[in-house]
């Protein structure tokens, strides 16, 4: 039994008669002309289910965070304008104090953390509202739901960590290479995913600019780390839906647009590529150069394709990622332009 992409039927020759689709598929399968679609190993499928479930829980929690903000705005409490994240340390201390019965805006503003950029007076000016009971009740319910989903996410993180420990060790006992410090995010995994990824893959994928441990785990849970399923990195990029789809007729290129795809790994790579817009790395310079040529949306797809090929090469050959910087990239690009002009 095979799961077959319907686009492969266009490649098969024949079918000059009005035979039924089921008979035509059976005939092609009998001749061995249908290639099965990619499916990860069973243990990777388990990891994929955990990661997709965690993404669903995170989405539900974010909806209730919006409900918290809506209740605050309806009471004329503009907390989101003076605090970077209302679910951060400062925001949650103020919200819990409001739910506990505190109404003095100066006392609430005094709960700010040391890392908060705005002063006590600025925060106090945003906390002068009308304390309506129905909105306080909605705020209480939203906070409880957010905390409940955060507990479920923490339990899911423990299950993910336990499952990752069941994979074989490919690091050969080598210590984790030192690299750039990870960027903190409130949706990060509740364990050291960087060390676990290095242990199961044998390479430090977090060293790639734009990729965090959480993003890499999303990608590998969809693709696995056995790249032998794809002959080359271009096949891998085509499966992700990031490679150009060249439509040629009579020697004329009709279109190079990528095919629409709902691949979760490709979506994670696009988000990682978008974060490189202000990066001083070679990948950031590549993104900005392509954006000037073909526009930012297509440049993000091209950079995501480059990230996919880097991941394929590191997992296939076991090499380390070397960051050369945007100055090196711009010099190399200038030399290529001069060589082509010559």
């Amino acid at each position: 039994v095979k799961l077959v992409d319907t686009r492969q039927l266009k490649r098969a020759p024949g079918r000059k008669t009005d035979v039924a689709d089921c008979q035509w598929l059976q005939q092609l399968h009998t001749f061995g002309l249908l290639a099965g679609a990619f499916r990860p190993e069973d243990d990777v499928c388990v990891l994929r289910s955990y990661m997709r479930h965690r993404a669903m829980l995170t989405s539900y929690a974010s909806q209730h965070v919006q409900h918290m903000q809506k209740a605050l705005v309806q009471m004329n409490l503009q907390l989101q304008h003076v605090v970077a994240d209302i679910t951060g340390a400062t925001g949650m201390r103020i919200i819990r104090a409001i739910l506990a019965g505190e109404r003095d805006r100066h006392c609430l503003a005094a709960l700010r953390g040391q890392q908060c950029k705005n002063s006590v007076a600025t925060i106090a000016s945003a906390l002068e509202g009308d304390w309506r009971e129905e909105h306080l009740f909605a705020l209480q319910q939203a906070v409880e739901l957010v905390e409940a989903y955060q507990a479920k996410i923490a339990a899911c993180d423990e299950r993910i960590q336990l499952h990752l420990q069941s994979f074989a060790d490919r690091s050969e006992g080598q210590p984790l290479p030192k690299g750039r410090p990870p960027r903190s995010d409130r949706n990060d995994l509740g364990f050291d995913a960087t060390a676990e990824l290095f242990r199961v893959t044998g390479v430090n994928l977090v060293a790639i600019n734009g990729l965090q441990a959480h993003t890499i785990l999303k990608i590998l849970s969809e693709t696995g780390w056995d790249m032998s399923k794809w002959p080359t990195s271009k096949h891998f990029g085509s499966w992700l839906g990031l490679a150009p789809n060249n439509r040629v007729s009579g020697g004329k290129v009709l279109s190079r647009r990528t095919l629409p795809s709902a691949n979760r790994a490709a979506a994670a790579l696009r988000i990682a590529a978008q974060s490189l817009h202000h990066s001083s790395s070679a990948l950031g310079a590549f993104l900005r150069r392509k954006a000037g040529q073909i526009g930012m949306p297509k440049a993000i797809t091209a950079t995501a394709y480059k990230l996919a090929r880097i991941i394929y090469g590191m997992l296939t050959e076991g090499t380390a990622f070397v960051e050369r910087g945007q100055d090196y990239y711009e010099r190399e690009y200038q030399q290529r332009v001069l060589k082509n002009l010559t």
Side-chain angles (χ1 to χ4, degrees):
V1 179
K2 291 183 178 181
L3 177 66
V4 180
D5 186 1
T6 54
R7 289 177 297 181
Q8 291 193 6
L9 300 179
K10 296 170 60 177
R11 306 173 188 172
R15 193 172 188 183
K16 297 297 184 181
T17 60
D18 294 333
V19 65
D21 286 341
C22 58
Q23 297 176 353
W24 178 243
L25 288 171
Q26 189 271 340
Q27 185 176 0
L28 293 178
H29 186 44
T30 304
F31 296 152
L33 294 176
L34 297 180
F38 167 74
R39 177 175 172 81
E41 303 295 335
D42 290 340
D43 50 358
V44 179
C45 287
V46 174
L47 178 62
R48 181 179 66 180
S49 299
Y50 285 144
M51 292 299 298
R52 290 183 178 182
H53 180 66
R54 188 187 189 279
M56 181 187 67
L57 293 175
T58 305
S59 175
Y60 290 164
S62 64
Q63 293 178 6
H64 294 296
V65 172
Q66 293 175 343
H67 296 161
M68 291 170 53
Q69 183 171 336
K70 178 182 178 181
L72 291 171
V73 171
Q74 287 178 327
M75 290 186 291
N76 197 30
L77 301 177
Q78 306 297 328
L79 185 61
Q80 73 277 7
H81 293 304
V82 294
V83 176
D85 184 9
I86 64 172
T87 60
T90 300
M92 290 307 297
R93 278 198 297 267
I94 294 175
I95 290 174
R96 288 193 176 97
I98 292 173
L99 296 176
E102 182 62 55
R103 297 295 179 263
D104 189 354
R105 56 194 180 98
H106 296 287
C107 295
L108 292 173
L111 297 175
R112 65 181 290 275
Q114 295 181 354
Q115 297 180 352
C116 188
K117 296 181 180 179
N118 291 313
S119 63
V120 175
T122 304
I123 297 178
S125 64
L127 295 178
E128 185 177 359
D130 51 347
W131 312 97
R132 298 177 63 93
E133 289 297 329
E134 64 272 22
H135 300 323
L136 288 170
F137 176 75
L139 179 63
Q140 176 72 40
Q141 295 263 303
V143 170
E144 292 175 356
L145 287 169
V146 169
E147 292 175 346
Y149 277 113
Q150 287 176 349
K152 298 298 182 183
I153 291 172
C156 188
D157 288 345
E158 294 178 359
R159 188 62 66 91
I160 292 172
Q161 183 182 14
L162 184 63
H163 185 66
L164 282 174
Q165 292 173 356
S166 65
F167 289 100
D169 188 357
R170 298 187 180 183
S171 63
E172 299 178 354
Q174 298 179 1
L176 178 65
K178 294 182 179 180
R180 54 189 174 86
R183 186 178 57 190
S184 60
D185 188 2
R186 62 186 177 93
N187 291 326
D188 278 343
L189 296 161
F191 59 94
D192 188 5
T194 302
E196 290 293 334
L197 286 172
F198 178 72
R199 187 185 65 82
V200 299
T201 60
V203 290
N204 186 22
L205 296 173
V206 185
I208 305 174
N209 298 98
L211 292 180
Q212 302 293 328
H214 189 191
T215 306
I216 295 171
L217 195 56
K218 282 182 183 179
I219 298 169
L220 296 186
S221 65
E222 299 290 333
T223 64
W225 37 89
D226 182 13
M227 295 288 112
S228 62
K229 304 290 185 179
W230 299 277
T232 64
S233 61
K234 294 183 178 180
H235 288 81
F236 180 56
S238 178
W239 177 82
L240 289 170
L242 298 173
N245 180 37
N246 293 324
R247 294 178 54 210
V248 182
S249 178
K252 181 181 179 180
V253 178
L254 302 179
S255 173
R256 288 195 175 97
R257 295 175 63 90
T258 56
L259 294 174
S261 173
N263 195 304
R264 297 170 187 254
L269 286 169
R270 281 192 171 96
I271 294 174
Q274 188 176 7
S275 67
L276 293 169
H277 184 261
H278 298 290
S279 174
S280 59
S281 62
L283 288 169
F286 173 80
L287 173 66
R288 291 187 289 272
R289 180 177 70 85
K290 299 300 290 185
Q293 293 177 347
I294 57 179
M296 184 55 73
K298 294 181 180 179
I300 290 174
T301 300
T303 309
Y305 184 30
K306 183 178 283 291
L307 287 172
R309 285 180 290 173
I310 292 174
I311 293 174
Y312 180 92
M314 292 179 66
L315 292 175
T316 303
E317 303 175 6
T319 55
F321 178 76
V322 178
E323 170 54 38
R324 301 186 183 276
Q326 64 176 356
D327 294 335
Y328 174 83
Y329 174 80
E330 291 173 356
R331 287 196 303 269
E332 290 291 316
Y333 174 67
Q334 184 180 15
Q335 291 175 6
R336 289 199 305 271
V337 172
L338 293 175
K339 182 178 178 181
N340 292 334
L341 290 175
T342 303

